[in-house]
């Protein structure tokens, strides 16, 4: 007998814990070659950007060499994306510096300890959110609002690099304070530093345009070091990185107090949120491209593990690098083996090659950061939002200005709060569709979408266009009552379609009870249709079902319409036309079935067709004595035979 291709229970459990193991099925030499190329490409980008982003976080350049190997390896093991690179992130680095900068002096041992503690807390928050399956929370944050936040964050990152490019010292404070300081001290610009920074930016942009396969950041870094060493730029006033200690630091838990942890908690939640928000989009994009699935909750766990690893090695918060992820994918990488190899190569640099970076100009590092975050300043997206929908543009603009005016953490709170407000506001607006029958069919459609849809006099069929819950319950009740009051023909029954309400809450059930009483006081019956089982159980427990009556709860809307017609004498042409259309559809089905019938069955089928034709004739005679409908509402029923 052959081997069972299905994985064992133990292997399946390991694959759930570490999606990386599942991605290795069928791994061969050709895939290894692609992953190695991806690793070399990512390492070439990571070393210079990592050193630059470490300075964004307020730490020395070597902090990236210490902490990112663990972050790369842990995300590789626990994340679900096969191409995403989780290492240094400009946005996370700035959030980290903003959080810790309010508690300690940059460069002090306390600053380093608090930064590591912040990374650990951010990792714990993200991992806990993943374990609790809170990944779906991402859908509640407006992409347009986050676009504005990221744009503002990019401007803050850029303004912090300008002094390095100009050779100016002393700029502090928020965005506008730094901008004012730079403008007022332009006369102190160091010409040679400006030349180095400008040349670095120009070279980065030129190399990126010439070929994406060339690691522009690494090439500029190497040239910058070579030119700096050859011309002794440090002796001419150009700031350089200086001595970088070789080796690694052992893992350790930062020595901080409980009070410090509580102060770091808002920033940790912010880092977890921003890291997840900037990672989940690219992760889904790569998954769709390569035909596999990513799990948002598993992504949270992977991000949490990466930040825990960074914090344990005296590093800083980790996040998604879109540029390195894209380069990894373009190199053909198929698994997270590329991240594991990148981690190993980074360790080799930390152990043996740090001395090569001593002469690296600070202006070159600043140029690498500025060019790397240009993609975060998405002007085209802001213009598109302004053209497509003003409300989305206003949300993005408010988030952008909030970051610039109030700094990173308050700006993040503004962005998150604005997203939640927009979510609740849109959900609370009473979007209520009235349903009518499409002429010639028994199908129901919203009257505002299907202009020919026919409604039955005295019966109003309403469908909330979102789930019924506490935020919109009162608005929906008021909207139903308003439409009942404004109806041209007196309303005798309201049929409410609850198809979109999967999980009714108590305020929603209480609203239905109140609506039933309000309508009853007006002599109007409330009926419900398509009530899902969880909602029906809650209606039973709250006593609403007993008030409405089980006979007024229908499995689907058509059954509710039929029950209405049984209870009320049909006098309007719309109701008789519905019956006529029903007869026509029955006749069509019987006629279609006749081709397969023979003998006695064929005779009975023809007899049934005669009876249906007779009924249709009497129906048309009846319709001639009723008030004739407008020509636009005639539908296909008037000319069938």
């Amino acid at each position: 007998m052959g081997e069972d291709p299905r994985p064992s229970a133990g292997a399946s459990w390991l694959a759930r814990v570490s999606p990386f193991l599942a991605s290795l099925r069928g791994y061969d030499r050709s895939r290894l070659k692609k992953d190695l190329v991806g690793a070399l490409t990512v390492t070439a980008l990571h070393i210079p950007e990592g050193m630059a982003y470490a300075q964004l976080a307020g730490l020395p350049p070597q902090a990236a060499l210490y902490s990112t190997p663990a972050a790369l390896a842990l995300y590789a093991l626990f994340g679900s994306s096969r191409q995403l690179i989780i290492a240094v992130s400009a946005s996370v680095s700035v959030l980290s510096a903003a959080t810790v900068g309010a508690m300690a002096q940059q460069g002090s041992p306390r600053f380093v300890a608090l930064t590591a503690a912040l990374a650990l807390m951010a990792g714990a928050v993200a991992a806990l959110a993943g374990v609790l399956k809170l990944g779906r929370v991402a859908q509640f944050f407006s992409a347009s609002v986050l676009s504005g936040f990221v744009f503002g964050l990019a401007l803050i990152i850029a303004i912090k690099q300008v002094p390095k490019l100009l050779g100016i010292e002393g700029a502090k404070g928020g965005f506008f304070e730094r901008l004012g300081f730079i403008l007022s001290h332009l006369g102190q610009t160091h010409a040679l530093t400006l030349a180095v920074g400008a040349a670095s930016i120009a070279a980065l942009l030129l190399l990126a345009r010439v070929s994406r396969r060339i690691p522009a950041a690494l090439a500029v870094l190497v040239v910058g070091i070579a030119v700096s060493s050859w011309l002794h730029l440090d002796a001419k006033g150009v700031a350089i990185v200086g001595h970088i200690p070789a080796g690694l630091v052992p893992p350790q838990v930062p020595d901080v107090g409980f009070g410090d942890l509580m102060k770091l908690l808002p920033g940790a939640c912010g880092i977890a949120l921003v890291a997840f928000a900037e990672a989940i989009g690219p992760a889904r994009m790569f998954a769709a491209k390569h035909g596999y699935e990513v799990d948002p909750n598993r992504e949270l766990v992977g991000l949490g593990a990466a930040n825990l690893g960074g914090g344990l090695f005296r590093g800083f918060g980790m996040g998604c690098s879109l540029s390195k992820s894209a380069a990894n994918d373009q190199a053909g990488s198929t698994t997270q083996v590329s991240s594991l190899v990148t981690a190993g190569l980074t360790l080799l640099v930390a152990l043996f090659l740090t001395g090569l970076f001593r002469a690296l100009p600070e202006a070159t590092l600043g140029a690498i950061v500025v060019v790397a975050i240009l993609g975060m300043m998405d002007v085209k997206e802001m213009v598109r939002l302004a053209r497509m929908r003003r409300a989305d543009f206003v949300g993005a603009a408010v988030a952008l200005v909030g970051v610039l005016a109030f700094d990173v953490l308050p700006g993040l709170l503004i962005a998150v709060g604005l997203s939640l407000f927009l979510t609740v506001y849109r959900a609370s607006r009473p979007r209520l569709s009235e349903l009518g029958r499409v002429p010639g069919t028994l199908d129901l459609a919203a009257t505002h979408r299907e202009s020919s849809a026919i409604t039955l006099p005295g019966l109003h069929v309403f469908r909330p266009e979102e789930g019924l819950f506490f935020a919109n319950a009162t608005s929906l009740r008021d909207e139903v009552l308003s439409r009942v009051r404004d109806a041209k023909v007196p309303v005798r029954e309201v049929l409410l379609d609850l198809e979109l309400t999967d999980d009714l809450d108590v305020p929603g059930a209480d609203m239905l009870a109140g609506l039933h009483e309000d309508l009853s006081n007006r002599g109007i019956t409330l009926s419900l249709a398509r009530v899902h089982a969880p909602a029906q159980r809650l209606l039973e427990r709250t006593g609403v079902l007993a008030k409405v009556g089980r006979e007024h709860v229908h499995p689907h809307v058509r059954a509710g319409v039929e029950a209405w017609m049984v209870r009320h004498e049909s006098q309007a042409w719309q109701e008789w036309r519905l019956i006529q259309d029903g007869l026509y559809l029955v006749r069509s089905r019987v006629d279609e079935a006749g081709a397969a019938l023979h003998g006695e069955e064929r005779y009975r089928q023809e007899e049934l067709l005669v009876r249906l034709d007779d009924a249709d004739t009497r129906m048309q005679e009846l319709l001639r004595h009723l008030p004739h409908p407008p020509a636009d509402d005639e539908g296909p029923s008037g000319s069938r035979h």
Side-chain angles (χ1 to χ4, degrees):
M1 295 180 63
E3 296 183 359
D4 187 351
R6 292 174 298 178
S8 65
S12 178
W13 179 84
L14 283 174
R16 287 196 300 271
V17 172
S18 177
F20 170 73
L21 298 178
S23 71
L24 294 180
R25 290 176 188 164
Y27 198 78
D28 55 22
R29 180 178 295 180
S30 63
R31 295 176 69 187
L32 175 61
K33 180 180 178 180
K34 293 179 179 179
D35 286 338
L36 291 177
V37 172
L40 291 172
T41 304
V42 171
T43 303
L45 293 171
H46 169 64
I47 297 300
E49 285 188 6
M51 297 172 66
Y53 289 174
Q55 292 188 320
L56 278 182
L59 299 178
Q62 64 267 25
L65 303 179
Y66 297 157
S67 59
T68 53
L72 285 162
L74 288 171
Y75 176 80
L77 294 176
F78 295 106
S80 63
S81 175
R82 300 174 187 177
Q83 284 77 32
L84 205 66
I85 297 297
I86 300 298
V88 292
S89 161
S91 55
V92 172
S93 298
V94 172
L95 271 170
S96 176
T99 302
V100 180
M103 300 172 59
Q105 179 66 35
Q106 185 170 317
S108 66
R110 176 171 165 78
F111 187 95
V112 174
L114 288 173
T115 301
L118 178 62
L120 286 171
M121 289 192 68
V125 169
L128 180 61
V131 171
L132 296 178
K133 300 187 181 302
L134 299 180
R136 62 184 301 179
V137 75
Q139 64 186 311
F140 294 107
F141 297 105
S142 167
S144 57
V145 171
L146 288 179
S147 295
F149 169 74
V150 171
F151 198 121
L153 195 61
L155 291 175
I156 287 180
I157 295 170
I159 202 70
K160 288 185 176 181
Q161 302 310 303
V162 171
K164 291 182 181 179
L165 298 173
L166 300 179
I168 299 174
E169 297 182 358
K172 295 181 180 179
F175 176 84
F176 294 106
E177 288 84 359
R178 289 177 181 270
L179 179 60
F181 179 89
I182 292 169
L183 293 176
S184 62
H185 290 76
L186 284 177
Q188 299 178 11
T189 299
H190 188 262
L192 187 55
T193 300
L194 175 60
V196 171
S200 299
I201 291 177
L204 287 165
L205 295 176
L206 181 62
L207 287 174
R209 175 168 292 188
V210 170
S211 174
R212 292 186 176 183
R213 294 185 177 182
I214 299 176
L218 183 62
V220 170
L221 179 141
V222 171
V223 172
I225 292 173
V227 172
S228 177
S229 300
W230 180 41
L231 299 179
H232 301 287
L233 294 182
D234 56 327
K236 300 176 181 179
V238 176
I240 60 173
V241 169
H243 174 65
I244 298 178
L248 298 173
V249 296
Q252 62 182 24
V253 177
D255 184 16
V256 297
F258 180 77
D260 292 329
L261 294 179
M262 290 300 98
K263 292 179 181 179
L264 292 173
L265 183 58
C269 294
I271 287 175
L273 172 62
V274 169
F276 180 61
E278 69 179 5
I280 191 62
R284 285 174 170 160
M285 178 186 69
F286 292 133
K289 178 180 178 181
H290 295 283
Y292 65 92
E293 296 290 332
V294 293
D295 181 354
N297 299 309
R298 179 56 56 187
E299 286 303 292
L300 280 168
V301 172
L303 283 166
N307 277 279
L308 288 170
L312 282 174
F313 287 89
R314 295 175 61 186
F316 51 101
M318 298 288 134
C320 167
S321 172
L322 184 56
S323 60
K324 289 188 280 293
S325 299
N328 190 41
D329 179 56
Q330 290 171 1
S333 177
T334 61
T335 70
Q336 283 291 339
V337 168
S338 61
S339 285
L340 293 176
V341 175
T342 300
L345 293 174
T346 305
L347 286 175
L348 291 176
V349 172
L351 289 171
F352 305 112
L353 302 177
T354 56
L356 297 177
F357 301 103
R358 189 197 69 81
L360 176 63
E362 292 277 3
T364 299
L365 276 182
I368 291 171
V369 173
V370 169
V371 174
I373 56 96
L374 285 178
M376 296 168 63
M377 303 180 193
D378 199 342
V379 177
K380 290 183 179 179
E381 176 64 12
M382 298 294 286
V383 172
R384 187 178 75 90
L385 291 175
R387 289 177 177 174
M388 297 296 157
R389 191 167 183 268
R390 183 174 297 177
D392 287 326
F393 172 74
V394 170
V398 169
L400 191 159
V401 174
V403 174
L404 298 182
F406 302 105
D407 212 353
V408 178
L409 281 179
L412 176 62
L413 293 177
I414 290 173
V416 172
L418 187 58
S419 293
L420 294 176
F421 170 77
L422 291 175
T423 300
V424 174
Y425 175 72
R426 290 172 183 170
S428 66
R429 296 179 66 185
R431 295 192 299 148
L432 196 68
S433 294
E434 183 173 4
L435 304 183
R437 185 178 62 87
V438 178
T441 73
L442 300 182
D443 299 329
L444 295 168
T447 56
H448 68 275
R449 297 193 185 100
E450 182 63 52
S451 59
S452 64
I454 303 169
T455 59
L456 301 182
L459 174 66
H460 277 213
V461 183
F462 293 126
R463 180 180 65 205
E465 293 297 340
E466 61 277 312
L468 177 61
F469 71 118
F470 71 92
N472 63 8
T474 301
S475 300
L476 286 170
R477 183 197 64 191
D478 293 343
E479 182 69 12
V480 170
L481 295 176
S482 174
R483 296 199 187 186
V484 167
R485 286 193 304 268
D486 297 340
K488 296 179 180 179
V489 178
V491 179
R492 300 169 67 184
E493 183 168 330
V494 169
L495 177 59
L496 202 59
D497 178 7
L498 297 181
E499 179 190 15
L500 299 180
T501 305
D502 289 323
D503 187 16
L504 186 68
D505 57 13
V506 173
D510 292 342
M511 183 280 283
L512 292 176
L515 179 61
H516 167 74
E517 293 178 4
D518 290 334
L519 293 175
S520 294
N521 293 334
R522 293 172 168 83
I524 301 172
T525 301
L526 174 64
S527 295
L528 305 175
R530 294 199 279 193
V531 182
H532 296 286
Q536 187 158 334
R537 287 194 293 269
L538 182 63
L539 291 177
E540 289 178 354
R541 291 197 300 269
T542 55
V544 177
L545 195 59
K547 292 181 180 180
V548 173
R550 291 182 180 273
E551 68 277 12
H552 295 301
V553 179
H554 308 284
H556 45 78
V557 177
R558 190 182 301 167
V561 174
E562 293 169 358
W564 150 265
M565 295 180 65
V566 169
R567 289 195 301 270
H568 299 86
E569 183 180 352
S570 298
Q571 296 180 345
W573 71 268
Q574 294 95 330
E575 299 175 42
W576 286 109
R577 179 57 59 78
L578 186 153
I579 297 172
Q580 186 188 32
D581 286 342
L583 284 172
Y584 174 71
L585 292 173
V586 171
R587 189 192 188 287
S588 299
R589 300 295 182 269
V590 173
D591 197 22
E592 291 171 2
L597 300 178
H598 302 281
E600 184 67 20
E601 291 181 344
R602 178 71 175 180
Y603 172 78
R604 291 179 180 176
Q605 183 251 0
E606 291 177 352
E607 192 176 58
L608 178 58
L609 287 174
V610 171
R611 292 179 182 177
L612 289 171
D613 287 341
D614 185 52
D616 187 57
T617 300
R618 291 199 300 271
M619 191 71 67
Q620 293 186 44
E621 179 67 23
L622 173 65
L623 287 170
R624 279 196 290 268
H625 291 86
L626 292 173
H628 203 271
D632 290 344
D633 294 332
E634 187 69 30
S637 303
S639 58
R640 289 199 181 117
H641 307 296

